[in-house]
Amino acid sequence: VQLQASGGGLVQAGGSLRLSCTASGSIRSINVMGWYRQAPGKQRELVSSSTSVGSTNYADSVKGRFTISRDNAVKTVYLQMNSLKPEDTAVYYCNAQILQFGGTTYSSYWGQGTQVTVSS
């Protein structure tokens, strides 16, 4: 199982970026998919998550600016980031709770991380 993230980059404050993360491999089912971020010198924190039935959760710092969505048919989760601030600068990681074919429990998988840099 692999998670491939893309969409990071450099943007000015107030700008927008859209992150994508696609899961591939021997996947029977995906439960929660989400995005975390880690800024230099800080712990990794949850940004947003989405369950398989569309329930969503956001960190207070991104509410009203970021929107998570997912397309279960293509095993992809997106993060639309608007009104970006310099404090949003971090490496963003996607995460998914995946049940593999032949497995009995969901396991947590991480993408490789994509850098988001917001200049002031």
Side-chain angles (χ1 to χ4, degrees):
V1 173
Q2 287 188 327
L3 296 180
Q4 182 67 44
S6 62
L10 173 64
V11 65
Q12 288 188 332
S16 298
L17 285 173
R18 189 191 195 208
L19 306 183
S20 299
C21 177
T22 300
S24 62
S26 178
I27 297 172
R28 177 179 177 184
S29 176
I30 302 177
N31 189 2
V32 179
M33 299 185 83
W35 292 94
Y36 289 72
R37 67 186 181 187
Q38 187 167 19
K42 294 187 177 182
Q43 289 188 331
R44 190 173 298 189
E45 62 175 357
L46 174 67
V47 176
S48 182
S49 63
S50 173
T51 69
S52 59
V53 295
S55 296
T56 59
N57 181 47
Y58 294 93
D60 288 343
S61 59
V62 307
K63 283 181 180 177
R65 300 188 297 121
F66 290 10
T67 303
I68 192 169
S69 60
R70 58 190 281 180
D71 185 337
N72 293 326
V74 292
K75 302 182 182 66
T76 299
V77 63
Y78 307 95
L79 186 67
Q80 178 66 43
M81 305 185 294
N82 298 329
S83 302
L84 282 160
K85 303 176 181 180
E87 51 263 43
D88 294 318
T89 295
V91 178
Y92 284 69
Y93 297 90
C94 61
N95 175 270
Q97 308 296 317
I98 294 174
L99 175 65
Q100 289 191 273
F101 285 107
T104 57
T105 60
Y106 284 84
S107 297
S108 179
Y109 294 86
W110 292 92
Q112 83 281 15
T114 183
Q115 177 71 45
V116 171
T117 302
V118 184
S119 63
S120 58

